[in-house]
Amino acid sequence: MLTEYEIAFVAQLPGTTQDHLQIFNIEMKAKIKSHQMPEPVVFWKWITPKTLGLVTQTSVYHWSIEGDSEPVKMFERTANLVNNQIINYKCDPSEKWLVLIGIAPGAPERPQLVKGNMQLFSVDQQRSQALESHAASFAQFKVPGNENPSILISFATKSFNAGQIVSKLHVIELGAQPGKPSFSKKQADLFFPPDFQDDFPVAMQISHKYSLIYVITKLGLLFVYDLETATAVYRNRISPDPIFLTSEASSAGGFYAINRRGQVLLATVNEATIVPFVSSQLNNLELAVNLAKRGNLPGAENL
């Protein structure tokens, strides 16, 4: 796992249940720091250019590459994540909100449709909320009349209850600012084709350039939604092979993905056609104009 100049390694110490963590500076070819964790690390990820997120069976830690600091325990995992496979961990730009995502075996009558579980943690309140979700991501959004950006979380879930499959996308504000205009929570359906009934979201990226939500599924489907309104913009299959890792491509306004075949994919919008597509194919003039404004895109001159 890489930042601009650092690479991190986790290796289990022989004959113990401890993991040995090491961070190296690639450019200097030197070890920056190391630490022995008392319990195995089951998932880890760079959550900022200077901070590693470390997940054990019981807790979540942050480890800064700066100074001599050891990993700092942030919170304990909630009960809904017991015996889950952890697939993602993220923080918002302010590092005040943290989200941990895990998956667990599906219902006996629908085992291929795995369950998604999420733990949302507030650093300021030191409190967790357990929710159903397969994928989540944070974003900042300027609500009209509020000079301060709102922190939003979007999350996607697909569940099987009482013989029914329900697939939803949610967008809500976190920590609404007293006395300021707030973001009205949004909800939308995720429409899976008949051949993809057991498919489920595995990743979510939000384009800050275009304020678009990208929901990526295990079987390679891509859903694109507008962040402000949760309006469906586009759906297509971008990979015939399962996708297991994504990362934001901020300068392109899209994301990178790696599939099981080892292909590295770059997905983003076609700037020349998205506004005309939304206005004519979706017949949504308001969204087309907003997209053109946000991304400085062509195609809205005659709308």
Side-chain angles (χ1 to χ4, degrees):
M1 289 187 168
L2 298 171
T3 65
E4 188 174 358
Y5 297 110
E6 284 79 33
I7 186 168
F9 295 97
V10 176
Q12 190 169 27
L13 293 173
T16 74
T17 58
Q18 296 182 336
D19 277 340
H20 188 54
L21 314 177
Q22 300 180 78
I23 301 176
F24 290 85
N25 183 299
I26 300 172
E27 192 175 50
M28 297 172 58
K29 298 180 180 178
K31 183 166 69 174
I32 298 175
K33 60 196 305 185
S34 63
H35 179 74
Q36 286 184 211
M37 288 289 287
E39 56 181 325
V41 175
V42 297
F43 182 88
W44 56 287
K45 177 184 175 182
W46 290 103
I47 56 170
T48 75
K50 299 293 185 181
T51 306
L52 270 172
L54 306 167
V55 184
T56 70
Q57 290 287 5
T58 61
S59 306
V60 175
Y61 298 80
H62 286 183
W63 191 25
S64 171
I65 67 171
E66 297 176 326
D68 298 324
S69 61
E70 296 182 350
V72 176
K73 183 177 176 179
M74 301 302 294
F75 59 89
E76 294 183 357
R77 288 169 54 171
T78 44
N80 68 323
L81 287 169
V82 172
N83 296 325
N84 277 228
Q85 176 190 346
I86 302 301
I87 62 171
N88 216 333
Y89 177 59
K90 294 182 178 181
C91 69
D92 81 297
S94 69
E95 299 181 39
K96 298 293 187 182
W97 294 92
L98 313 171
V99 66
L100 185 63
I101 302 284
I103 55 175
E109 61 271 36
R110 205 78 189 236
Q112 296 302 314
L113 179 54
V114 305
K115 295 178 182 177
N117 295 303
M118 172 175 110
Q119 178 179 0
L120 178 64
F121 182 78
S122 167
V123 175
D124 287 342
Q125 299 176 28
Q126 288 292 298
R127 192 171 65 187
S128 286
Q129 185 176 3
L131 298 163
E132 283 191 11
S133 176
H134 288 81
S137 195
F138 295 104
Q140 289 185 326
F141 186 81
K142 289 293 289 288
V143 176
N146 187 349
E147 66 275 14
N148 301 315
S150 298
I151 300 296
L152 308 183
I153 186 170
S154 176
F155 58 96
T157 185
K158 188 173 183 180
S159 58
F160 181 74
N161 292 309
Q164 297 291 319
I165 295 178
V166 179
S167 306
K168 295 288 185 181
L169 175 75
H170 303 267
V171 186
I172 61 174
E173 182 174 359
L174 298 172
Q177 303 159 43
K180 301 287 186 180
S182 60
F183 180 88
S184 299
K185 63 181 179 180
K186 305 297 191 302
Q187 180 179 291
D189 291 322
L190 292 171
F191 293 105
F192 282 81
D195 293 345
F196 291 79
Q197 289 304 297
D198 288 334
D199 192 16
F200 55 91
V202 292
M204 180 186 293
Q205 298 291 337
I206 294 180
S207 168
H208 305 290
K209 184 176 183 179
Y210 303 119
S211 289
L212 292 174
I213 304 169
Y214 302 112
V215 180
I216 305 97
T217 75
K218 179 180 175 65
L219 298 183
L221 284 180
L222 167 64
F223 295 86
V224 183
Y225 282 77
D226 175 52
L227 176 66
E228 181 179 7
T229 62
T231 300
V233 176
Y234 184 73
R235 184 191 72 194
N236 205 348
R237 195 177 191 187
I238 61 171
S239 170
D241 297 281
I243 287 178
F244 64 90
L245 186 65
T246 66
S247 178
E248 181 185 6
S250 55
S251 60
F255 65 92
Y256 294 102
I258 300 177
N259 64 18
R260 187 173 288 173
R261 194 185 301 183
Q263 294 174 319
V264 179
L265 314 171
L266 170 61
T268 187
V269 301
N270 186 330
E271 292 191 342
T273 61
I274 185 171
V275 172
F277 173 81
V278 171
S279 63
S280 59
Q281 298 296 316
L282 303 184
N283 196 27
N284 192 332
L285 299 184
E286 184 179 3
L287 178 56
V289 171
N290 285 341
L291 280 170
K293 286 180 182 177
R294 293 193 307 240
N296 193 24
L297 301 173
E301 297 82 3
N302 300 320
L303 297 181

